[in-house]
Amino acid sequence: MMKVLGTCAVALTLFMLMEPACAQTTTYAFSQGTIEDEKVYQQLESGARKLMDNQKVPKLNVLEEQLQRISCRVDLKPQRTRENYVNVYDRCRKSVLIVGTLYKCPNCPNDHARSASGFIIAEEGIAVTSYHIFRSNQSNHDTDLAHVVMDADGNVYPIVEVLAASLKDDIAIFRIDGGGKKFVPMPLAEPVVGEEASIISHPHSMYYSFTKGNVSRLYARDGGEKMSVTADFAQGSSGGPVINNHGEVIGVVSASRALYHSDQNVQMVSKEAIPTTRIRALIVR
């Protein structure tokens, strides 16, 4: 088990990424591509707390009630040219968010943040993450305080509304308050088996990690559409974008499934994502 950045010494369990945020420029900035995880975490945590103190975040029960919404209107702009990008990471990083939850620590007097992943789909601050970031077995009404996001420039913003969601598909579309800022959205495309698939996410608080693989299969399970990828991810990657070589999102990181031999040895870990067709299913035109 790894220690979560910023948690007290007693609490060592790493949770899925979530947190609250504050809508203003932070003092943190990337330096020549080097990411200082502890500084990112500190900015996220302090920004979330400032939003809480200034009453800029809605009550969590309000957001949970909004998870019942089954559709919303979003202006999805298509990509103008479908180029193959040599560096998908540089092209897409600014559209990827750290999604977090500020919570009261049960073992010390401080607040902490747990983090997950998400991405922008419309310039007015409409974004996507996993449903289970808002409601799961890790949610706790007694300790959780607020949900926020932080962008790659170190700005923290409050999540102010869930626009539509699907428990079956583990997808949530939400809105952040960017104070009028225009964000850089990621276009959506349908996945193709065999194509290259990259992921930008925050596994175990290793912020803005990049992995690469392929789409290995499309399938149905538990009543929903899913896809497997060979790009690696871990706890904290939930809600992150699966990206093709054109810089388009083709899926959303959801879960991993360990496959065991009869002697209980792990043979393989299937990396499960939700295809973008399920995002579009929540959007009315």
Side-chain angles (χ1 to χ4, degrees):
M1 249 182 315
M2 295 177 59
K3 180 180 178 182
V4 186
L5 291 176
T7 58
C8 63
V10 180
L12 300 180
T13 303
L14 186 62
F15 295 95
M16 291 179 297
L17 307 179
M18 305 159 85
E19 71 198 50
C22 65
Q24 72 176 50
T25 303
T26 70
T27 56
Y28 177 80
F30 288 93
S31 175
Q32 298 180 346
T34 300
I35 300 171
E36 299 176 80
D37 288 332
E38 290 190 7
K39 288 186 177 180
V40 173
Y41 176 86
Q42 290 166 4
Q43 187 58 50
L44 175 66
E45 186 184 71
S46 63
R49 191 175 297 112
K50 185 173 182 179
L51 286 178
M52 277 288 301
D53 291 343
N54 293 333
Q55 299 182 339
K56 298 296 185 181
V57 292
K59 299 291 185 182
L60 294 192
N61 64 334
V62 173
L63 295 179
E64 287 200 1
E65 289 174 2
Q66 294 169 351
L67 290 171
Q68 300 178 36
R69 297 174 174 178
I70 60 173
S71 65
C72 62
R73 293 187 180 276
V74 181
D75 182 16
L76 296 176
K77 290 183 170 59
Q79 187 152 302
R80 293 180 180 177
T81 59
R82 300 192 80 237
E83 304 176 45
N84 283 330
Y85 294 106
V86 175
N87 195 327
V88 171
Y89 182 82
D90 280 349
R91 173 73 180 182
C92 299
R93 176 174 59 85
K94 284 188 176 294
S95 300
V96 177
L97 303 169
I98 303 171
V99 182
T101 297
L102 188 71
Y103 66 95
K104 299 176 184 176
C105 180
N107 301 303
C108 77
N110 300 322
D111 300 334
H112 301 305
R114 59 181 183 267
S115 308
S117 308
F119 56 95
I120 296 289
I121 61 170
E123 63 181 9
E124 61 269 27
I126 308 302
V128 170
T129 190
S130 298
Y131 182 104
H132 71 254
I133 301 306
F134 293 99
R135 181 182 293 165
S136 70
N137 59 6
Q138 298 198 24
S139 301
N140 189 327
H141 290 281
D142 295 327
T143 58
D144 290 353
L145 300 172
H147 295 305
V148 299
V149 301
M150 178 172 163
D151 64 19
D153 292 325
N155 302 307
V156 185
Y157 306 98
I159 295 176
V160 294
E161 184 180 14
V162 175
L163 300 178
S166 169
L167 172 62
K168 177 185 70 175
D169 295 319
D170 195 23
I171 293 287
I173 301 174
F174 63 93
R175 180 172 63 86
I176 63 179
D177 181 3
K181 175 180 176 178
K182 297 295 184 183
F183 294 87
V184 180
M186 300 184 74
L188 306 183
E190 293 189 15
V192 177
V193 174
E195 72 175 325
E196 290 191 0
S198 302
I199 293 171
I200 303 174
S201 66
H202 318 295
H204 287 256
S205 298
M206 298 168 62
Y207 299 108
Y208 288 93
S209 296
F210 178 81
T211 60
K212 193 169 186 177
N214 298 87
V215 177
S216 61
R217 66 190 295 248
L218 301 172
Y219 59 101
R221 186 188 294 271
D222 300 328
E225 297 177 27
K226 304 184 187 299
M227 59 187 280
S228 290
V229 297
T230 58
D232 217 1
F233 60 79
Q235 196 168 24
S237 297
S238 293
V242 182
I243 309 163
N244 64 17
N245 283 346
H246 304 298
E248 300 164 322
V249 178
I250 56 175
V252 184
V253 172
S254 180
S256 59
R257 184 184 299 270
L259 308 179
Y260 293 88
H261 189 266
S262 57
D263 59 6
Q264 295 304 303
N265 289 324
V266 176
Q267 290 186 305
M268 176 181 174
V269 177
S270 174
K271 302 294 186 175
E272 188 172 275
I274 308 301
T276 48
T277 50
R278 305 317 302 162
I279 298 176
R280 293 186 184 277
L282 295 173
I283 298 174
V284 296
R285 300 182 180 181

